[in-house]
mmCIF file of all heavy atoms in Angstrom:
data_model
loop_
_atom_site.group_PDB
_atom_site.id
_atom_site.type_symbol
_atom_site.label_atom_id
_atom_site.label_comp_id
_atom_site.label_asym_id
_atom_site.label_seq_id
_atom_site.Cartn_x
_atom_site.Cartn_y
_atom_site.Cartn_z
ATOM 1 N N GLU A 413 -0.747 40.390 62.651
ATOM 2 C CA GLU A 413 0.478 40.909 63.275
ATOM 3 C C GLU A 413 0.876 42.259 62.692
ATOM 4 O O GLU A 413 1.309 43.153 63.389
ATOM 5 C CB GLU A 413 1.639 39.934 63.065
ATOM 6 C CG GLU A 413 1.516 38.632 63.827
ATOM 7 C CD GLU A 413 2.128 38.709 65.213
ATOM 8 O OE1 GLU A 413 2.735 39.753 65.523
ATOM 9 O OE2 GLU A 413 1.995 37.729 65.966
ATOM 10 N N LEU A 414 0.751 42.348 61.375
ATOM 11 C CA LEU A 414 1.172 43.586 60.731
ATOM 12 C C LEU A 414 0.014 44.580 60.630
ATOM 13 O O LEU A 414 0.136 45.623 60.013
ATOM 14 C CB LEU A 414 1.733 43.308 59.336
ATOM 15 C CG LEU A 414 2.984 42.424 59.255
ATOM 16 C CD1 LEU A 414 3.461 42.317 57.820
ATOM 17 C CD2 LEU A 414 4.103 42.967 60.124
ATOM 18 N N ARG A 415 -1.127 44.207 61.223
ATOM 19 C CA ARG A 415 -2.324 45.049 61.169
ATOM 20 C C ARG A 415 -2.647 45.462 59.739
ATOM 21 O O ARG A 415 -2.757 46.648 59.410
ATOM 22 C CB ARG A 415 -2.147 46.298 62.020
ATOM 23 C CG ARG A 415 -1.954 45.978 63.476
ATOM 24 C CD ARG A 415 -1.799 47.243 64.279
ATOM 25 N NE ARG A 415 -1.121 46.970 65.524
ATOM 26 C CZ ARG A 415 -1.655 46.290 66.532
ATOM 27 N NH1 ARG A 415 -2.872 45.820 66.449
ATOM 28 N NH2 ARG A 415 -0.956 46.076 67.631
ATOM 29 N N VAL A 416 -2.763 44.456 58.922
ATOM 30 C CA VAL A 416 -3.101 44.723 57.528
ATOM 31 C C VAL A 416 -4.611 44.667 57.389
ATOM 32 O O VAL A 416 -5.219 43.623 57.556
ATOM 33 C CB VAL A 416 -2.458 43.668 56.611
ATOM 34 C CG1 VAL A 416 -2.941 43.845 55.193
ATOM 35 C CG2 VAL A 416 -0.949 43.781 56.677
ATOM 36 N N ASP A 417 -5.241 45.807 57.161
ATOM 37 C CA ASP A 417 -6.691 45.821 57.035
ATOM 38 C C ASP A 417 -7.130 46.083 55.606
ATOM 39 O O ASP A 417 -8.223 45.743 55.199
ATOM 40 C CB ASP A 417 -7.299 46.898 57.937
ATOM 41 C CG ASP A 417 -6.857 46.697 59.374
ATOM 42 O OD1 ASP A 417 -6.873 45.541 59.825
ATOM 43 O OD2 ASP A 417 -6.464 47.683 60.020
ATOM 44 N N GLU A 418 -6.237 46.710 54.848
ATOM 45 C CA GLU A 418 -6.615 47.065 53.482
ATOM 46 C C GLU A 418 -6.980 45.816 52.696
ATOM 47 O O GLU A 418 -6.214 44.858 52.668
ATOM 48 C CB GLU A 418 -5.465 47.784 52.766
ATOM 49 C CG GLU A 418 -5.124 49.134 53.349
ATOM 50 C CD GLU A 418 -4.193 49.032 54.552
ATOM 51 O OE1 GLU A 418 -4.040 47.922 55.087
ATOM 52 O OE2 GLU A 418 -3.629 50.066 54.934
ATOM 53 N N PRO A 419 -8.151 45.846 52.062
ATOM 54 C CA PRO A 419 -8.593 44.662 51.304
ATOM 55 C C PRO A 419 -7.593 44.241 50.230
ATOM 56 O O PRO A 419 -7.405 43.056 50.001
ATOM 57 C CB PRO A 419 -9.917 45.113 50.671
ATOM 58 C CG PRO A 419 -10.205 46.470 51.164
ATOM 59 C CD PRO A 419 -9.132 46.936 52.059
ATOM 60 N N VAL A 420 -6.933 45.222 49.616
ATOM 61 C CA VAL A 420 -5.993 44.890 48.539
ATOM 62 C C VAL A 420 -4.857 44.022 49.083
ATOM 63 O O VAL A 420 -4.471 43.012 48.506
ATOM 64 C CB VAL A 420 -5.410 46.176 47.910
ATOM 65 C CG1 VAL A 420 -4.445 45.816 46.798
ATOM 66 C CG2 VAL A 420 -6.525 47.057 47.392
ATOM 67 N N LEU A 421 -4.331 44.425 50.230
ATOM 68 C CA LEU A 421 -3.224 43.684 50.808
ATOM 69 C C LEU A 421 -3.690 42.308 51.279
ATOM 70 O O LEU A 421 -2.987 41.312 51.128
ATOM 71 C CB LEU A 421 -2.601 44.460 51.968
ATOM 72 C CG LEU A 421 -1.876 45.735 51.563
ATOM 73 C CD1 LEU A 421 -1.156 46.323 52.759
ATOM 74 C CD2 LEU A 421 -0.887 45.474 50.437
ATOM 75 N N ARG A 422 -4.883 42.292 51.848
ATOM 76 C CA ARG A 422 -5.421 41.006 52.290
ATOM 77 C C ARG A 422 -5.551 40.049 51.111
ATOM 78 O O ARG A 422 -5.230 38.872 51.207
ATOM 79 C CB ARG A 422 -6.778 41.192 52.959
ATOM 80 C CG ARG A 422 -6.641 41.574 54.409
ATOM 81 C CD ARG A 422 -7.947 41.333 55.144
ATOM 82 N NE ARG A 422 -7.738 41.528 56.558
ATOM 83 C CZ ARG A 422 -7.391 40.580 57.392
ATOM 84 N NH1 ARG A 422 -7.231 39.343 56.969
ATOM 85 N NH2 ARG A 422 -7.196 40.825 58.660
ATOM 86 N N ALA A 423 -6.036 40.592 50.001
ATOM 87 C CA ALA A 423 -6.204 39.749 48.812
ATOM 88 C C ALA A 423 -4.846 39.217 48.347
ATOM 89 O O ALA A 423 -4.718 38.042 48.001
ATOM 90 C CB ALA A 423 -6.882 40.542 47.698
ATOM 91 N N ALA A 424 -3.845 40.082 48.377
ATOM 92 C CA ALA A 424 -2.504 39.659 47.955
ATOM 93 C C ALA A 424 -2.000 38.531 48.853
ATOM 94 O O ALA A 424 -1.421 37.549 48.391
ATOM 95 C CB ALA A 424 -1.539 40.844 48.003
ATOM 96 N N LEU A 425 -2.229 38.691 50.141
ATOM 97 C CA LEU A 425 -1.810 37.651 51.094
ATOM 98 C C LEU A 425 -2.533 36.338 50.821
ATOM 99 O O LEU A 425 -1.943 35.268 50.861
ATOM 100 C CB LEU A 425 -2.150 38.108 52.515
ATOM 101 C CG LEU A 425 -0.994 38.556 53.387
ATOM 102 C CD1 LEU A 425 -1.519 38.981 54.741
ATOM 103 C CD2 LEU A 425 0.041 37.460 53.536
ATOM 104 N N ARG A 426 -3.848 36.466 50.587
ATOM 105 C CA ARG A 426 -4.622 35.252 50.333
ATOM 106 C C ARG A 426 -4.113 34.537 49.091
ATOM 107 O O ARG A 426 -3.972 33.330 49.074
ATOM 108 C CB ARG A 426 -6.106 35.602 50.159
ATOM 109 C CG ARG A 426 -6.971 35.179 51.342
ATOM 110 C CD ARG A 426 -8.434 35.048 50.945
ATOM 111 N NE ARG A 426 -8.882 36.079 50.026
ATOM 112 C CZ ARG A 426 -9.265 37.301 50.393
ATOM 113 N NH1 ARG A 426 -9.262 37.632 51.661
ATOM 114 N NH2 ARG A 426 -9.670 38.170 49.500
ATOM 115 N N ARG A 427 -3.831 35.357 48.059
ATOM 116 C CA ARG A 427 -3.304 34.749 46.835
ATOM 117 C C ARG A 427 -1.992 34.029 47.123
ATOM 118 O O ARG A 427 -1.765 32.918 46.689
ATOM 119 C CB ARG A 427 -3.065 35.826 45.766
ATOM 120 C CG ARG A 427 -4.182 35.927 44.752
ATOM 121 C CD ARG A 427 -3.705 36.593 43.471
ATOM 122 N NE ARG A 427 -2.897 37.792 43.700
ATOM 123 C CZ ARG A 427 -3.404 38.989 43.989
ATOM 124 N NH1 ARG A 427 -4.707 39.143 44.100
ATOM 125 N NH2 ARG A 427 -2.609 40.021 44.166
ATOM 126 N N ALA A 428 -1.144 34.688 47.903
ATOM 127 C CA ALA A 428 0.151 34.083 48.244
ATOM 128 C C ALA A 428 -0.060 32.762 48.970
ATOM 129 O O ALA A 428 0.668 31.801 48.770
ATOM 130 C CB ALA A 428 0.961 35.035 49.109
ATOM 131 N N ALA A 429 -1.077 32.738 49.831
ATOM 132 C CA ALA A 429 -1.326 31.523 50.585
ATOM 133 C C ALA A 429 -1.918 30.429 49.708
ATOM 134 O O ALA A 429 -1.695 29.256 49.925
ATOM 135 C CB ALA A 429 -2.264 31.822 51.753
ATOM 136 N N ASP A 430 -2.664 30.857 48.679
ATOM 137 C CA ASP A 430 -3.318 29.881 47.816
ATOM 138 C C ASP A 430 -2.355 29.182 46.881
ATOM 139 O O ASP A 430 -2.438 27.994 46.651
ATOM 140 C CB ASP A 430 -4.394 30.576 46.966
ATOM 141 C CG ASP A 430 -5.726 30.544 47.670
ATOM 142 O OD1 ASP A 430 -5.777 29.921 48.739
ATOM 143 O OD2 ASP A 430 -6.686 31.145 47.173
ATOM 144 N N GLU A 431 -1.468 29.966 46.322
ATOM 145 C CA GLU A 431 -0.619 29.355 45.305
ATOM 146 C C GLU A 431 0.824 29.449 45.739
ATOM 147 O O GLU A 431 1.250 30.408 46.355
ATOM 148 C CB GLU A 431 -0.831 30.073 43.981
ATOM 149 C CG GLU A 431 -0.531 31.542 44.068
ATOM 150 C CD GLU A 431 -1.146 32.279 42.890
ATOM 151 O OE1 GLU A 431 -2.361 32.134 42.659
ATOM 152 O OE2 GLU A 431 -0.405 32.990 42.224
ATOM 153 N N ARG A 432 1.558 28.432 45.393
ATOM 154 C CA ARG A 432 2.986 28.503 45.658
ATOM 155 C C ARG A 432 3.619 29.157 44.455
ATOM 156 O O ARG A 432 3.115 29.091 43.357
ATOM 157 C CB ARG A 432 3.539 27.101 45.863
ATOM 158 C CG ARG A 432 2.857 26.409 47.008
ATOM 159 C CD ARG A 432 3.559 25.137 47.308
ATOM 160 N NE ARG A 432 4.844 25.425 47.915
ATOM 161 C CZ ARG A 432 5.792 24.510 48.050
ATOM 162 N NH1 ARG A 432 5.621 23.321 47.599
ATOM 163 N NH2 ARG A 432 6.916 24.818 48.638
#
Side-chain angles (χ1 to χ4, degrees):
E413 291 271 355
L414 298 184
R415 298 181 202 290
V416 173
D417 304 316
E418 294 83 346
V420 180
L421 292 187
R422 276 198 172 269
L425 254 179
R426 252 202 321 278
R427 261 201 315 280
D430 269 356
E431 58 197 54
R432 301 189 71 193

